[in-house]
Amino acid sequence: MIAGIFLALVAGTLISIQTLFNNKVSAAVHSHTTTALVLGMGFIASLSMGVLFEGTDFFNWRAMPVWFWFSGLFGIGVVTCVVRGVNLLGPSYAISIVMSSQLLFALWWDSAGWFGLEQVPFLPQKAIGVTTLIAGLILYKLKPKETRETAADI
């Protein structure tokens, strides 16, 4: 469990760093060019690391449903939407929304047992947790009201 938590923390860190880098790249080129660069470099790095660490076993693929082969296409949407979202909203707010959306959909798919997941019951504490997360996102974005001048300020 600790290893899983550690890996999730590292993934969150890497996603944040990648988002910032992608945002800088998209300032110099178009968003689809950014997506092609990011996914192309990811492909080359993944292929190289796979061959290096797994050898010929890297090319030993088990049978799976055909639609699984197209999962990488979701990466195009992920990178494009995150880059554009960061450009429009700023990194913290955009990533907060991405994380909230990710949690909501993961909870929905877990509860429904979609995509071959083991069905997990939707309990009140999960509803409270998601609601708290969304409330926190709203609070995070709210700007403080300007305070009135008091006699001590004058």
Side-chain angles (χ1 to χ4, degrees):
M1 182 161 159
I2 291 178
I5 292 170
F6 175 75
L7 290 172
L9 289 170
V10 170
T13 303
L14 293 174
I15 289 169
S16 294
I17 292 169
Q18 181 189 25
T19 299
L20 295 173
F21 278 49
N22 291 353
N23 189 41
K24 296 299 182 185
V25 172
S26 73
V29 297
H30 298 289
S31 64
H32 290 293
T33 307
T34 301
T35 302
L37 286 169
V38 168
L39 296 178
M41 290 177 71
F43 170 76
I44 292 168
S46 295
L47 180 65
S48 301
M49 289 172 53
V51 170
L52 179 67
F53 292 114
E54 297 174 21
T56 57
D57 199 39
F58 177 76
F59 298 102
N60 185 13
W61 301 333
R62 291 186 226 128
M64 63 181 144
V66 172
W67 57 278
F68 282 2
W69 288 91
F70 298 97
S71 65
L73 296 176
F74 292 117
I76 296 168
V78 170
V79 174
T80 301
C81 292
V82 170
V83 166
R84 293 290 300 138
V86 167
N87 285 337
L88 296 170
L89 300 172
S92 320
Y93 192 44
I95 294 301
S96 297
I97 293 171
V98 168
M99 289 186 332
S100 298
S101 172
Q102 191 175 3
L103 180 62
L104 282 169
F105 279 96
L107 178 61
W108 180 17
W109 295 328
D110 269 351
S111 298
W114 288 1
F115 306 112
L117 297 171
E118 180 181 331
Q119 191 169 5
V120 178
F122 184 78
L123 303 172
Q125 74 229 31
K126 291 182 181 182
I128 292 168
V130 168
T131 304
T132 304
L133 179 77
I134 293 169
L137 176 62
I138 292 167
L139 287 173
Y140 180 82
K141 186 57 182 168
L142 285 178
K143 293 183 178 167
K145 291 183 180 180
E146 304 233 356
T147 56
R148 291 189 219 161
E149 286 186 30
T150 61
D153 294 334
I154 300 178

